[in-house]
Amino acid sequence: MELRQLRYFIEVARREHVSEAAEHLHVAQSAISRQIANLEDELGVELFQREGRNVKLTSIGKLFLEHTETAMKAIDYAKEQVDEYLDPERGTIKIGFPTSLSSHLLPTIISAFKENHPNVAFHLRQGSYKFLIESVKKRDINIAFLGPVPVDDEDIEGHILFTEKILALVPSSHPLATQENLRLRDLRNEDFVLFPNGFVLRKIAVDACKQAGFMPNISSEGEDLDAIKGLVSAGMGITLLPESTVSETTPRFTTKIPIHTPEVKRTVGMIIPRNRNLAPSDQIFYEFVKSFFAMLEQYK
């Protein structure tokens, strides 16, 4: 069994088309067909069945694909570690992050890191809370920034960088907009603009409202921060957002108000895999970020 055969197999399985796979890999279609036939002969099973011009995985083919993708990720990761061991200052760091940390935290950290490590490259992936956790487990990325930091996952190691408050964001014309702070219960009769079900910031907001003794009336939803802020600016309702998402500028026609009862917070930090070592470049970045925020804490 050769690595070339496995790579050809994965590409055909993903595209369900031999000629498209051949075009993407820049090899002859006959070469791919021959290598897959050799692979099937060696395994003693059919991995594909033809459906017109397309091909579909058989049931055993689907199982083989799952294990093959895992194996190829491990091989690619091993090669990356060898390359970075030879020159960790020229590695590529794969980072995941949610939308709530994309505008301020991530650019600040990467900019500071690049001052001392200018030749290190970054591969960035934005995703939801659950997506980022699963991506670290599956080796798609090695480090992810998250808020809140998970504490009960045996496959993930979390490191808290800081804790931040959750604020209320209201239209500037709102009767509460002139207050210096408020009780969350003061918002019990308001229309809320929140993320859809499955987003962690929605859960934080709903759990906080429950703690204050009411269920929020969710009148509108948005799948990213700009959409949420835009709906509040348009007077469609109020929302609850982490302080860092409105730290530099408050959106037009809105006002941010601290909440004093109950005090709503979230942790923000990094997660890495618990059961495998980071590549040299990743380790350098991971230690840098921890030192960077430890230094910020000293100057507060």
Side-chain angles (χ1 to χ4, degrees):
M1 194 177 300
E2 302 175 4
L3 288 179
R4 177 179 55 176
Q5 292 175 334
L6 299 180
R7 294 192 189 279
Y8 288 179
F9 164 71
I10 290 173
E11 196 63 39
V12 173
R14 288 173 177 170
R15 296 177 180 273
E16 297 184 338
H17 206 286
V18 176
S19 60
E20 289 182 8
E23 182 178 351
H24 177 77
L25 293 168
H26 304 291
V27 297
Q29 181 175 336
S30 58
I32 289 185
S33 298
R34 182 171 60 254
Q35 290 299 331
I36 289 179
N38 292 341
L39 181 61
E40 290 179 323
D41 287 342
E42 183 176 347
L43 293 172
V45 296
E46 287 189 356
L47 299 172
F48 295 100
Q49 58 187 15
R50 291 197 170 275
E51 292 186 0
R53 293 186 175 183
N54 290 18
V55 293
K56 296 282 187 180
L57 285 169
T58 61
S59 57
I60 192 63
K62 292 178 182 178
L63 181 63
F64 186 69
L65 175 64
E66 179 181 343
H67 291 291
T68 301
E69 287 181 324
T70 300
M72 293 306 295
K73 284 178 183 178
I75 291 170
D76 290 341
Y77 180 71
K79 184 179 183 303
E80 287 176 9
Q81 286 202 308
V82 171
D83 292 341
E84 291 184 21
Y85 176 80
L86 295 173
D87 190 357
E89 291 295 333
R90 293 186 179 276
T92 298
I93 301 171
K94 298 178 181 179
I95 298 175
F97 61 96
T99 180
S100 64
L101 299 177
S102 62
S103 61
H104 178 68
L105 181 138
L106 202 63
T108 300
I109 293 172
I110 291 178
S111 177
F113 181 79
K114 292 283 282 184
E115 287 182 7
N116 297 318
H117 307 276
N119 296 319
V120 173
F122 284 88
H123 179 84
L124 305 178
R125 293 190 69 178
Q126 184 172 320
S128 68
Y129 190 79
K130 291 181 179 179
F131 170 82
L132 294 173
I133 292 175
E134 288 303 310
S135 294
V136 170
K137 290 181 180 181
K138 290 159 50 179
R139 299 176 181 264
D140 291 334
I141 55 178
N142 302 318
I143 300 173
F145 290 90
L146 280 182
V149 179
V151 295
D152 57 355
D153 194 317
E154 61 183 16
D155 297 321
I156 293 295
E157 179 180 329
H159 179 84
I160 296 174
L161 298 172
F162 61 91
T163 300
E164 65 175 336
K165 295 179 180 179
I166 305 295
L167 308 177
L169 188 70
V170 306
S172 297
S173 58
H174 195 282
L176 294 174
T178 57
Q179 294 193 195
E180 292 187 3
N181 53 57
L182 54 78
R183 299 176 304 165
L184 188 54
R185 185 165 175 78
D186 295 337
L187 304 176
R188 63 188 180 278
N189 297 321
E190 301 292 332
D191 290 332
F192 277 75
V193 178
L194 297 180
F195 286 88
N197 275 322
F199 283 71
V200 70
L201 286 181
R202 179 190 179 107
K203 184 178 187 305
I204 290 173
V206 171
D207 287 348
C209 292
K210 288 180 181 178
Q211 186 181 349
F214 69 97
M215 278 294 294
N217 176 37
I218 303 169
S219 61
S220 302
E221 296 180 343
E223 293 192 358
D224 59 61
L225 279 171
D226 288 339
I228 297 286
K229 294 173 183 178
L231 289 169
V232 175
S233 296
M236 299 297 292
I238 60 98
T239 193
L240 303 181
L241 291 176
E243 188 173 15
S244 63
T245 64
V246 289
S247 60
E248 292 189 333
T249 58
T250 304
R252 292 180 62 193
F253 310 122
T254 68
T255 301
K256 57 185 178 184
I257 311 173
I259 300 168
H260 65 76
T261 306
E263 191 174 45
V264 189
K265 298 180 178 181
R266 74 163 180 175
T267 58
V268 176
M270 298 180 289
I271 60 169
I272 60 174
R274 189 182 297 277
N275 301 317
R276 71 176 188 268
N277 294 328
L278 293 177
S281 297
D282 294 331
Q283 189 67 45
I284 291 172
F285 179 75
Y286 182 66
E287 296 300 332
F288 170 84
V289 174
K290 290 195 294 183
S291 299
F292 181 81
F293 278 92
M295 183 177 64
L296 291 180
E297 284 295 318
Q298 291 178 1
Y299 286 98
K300 279 187 176 180

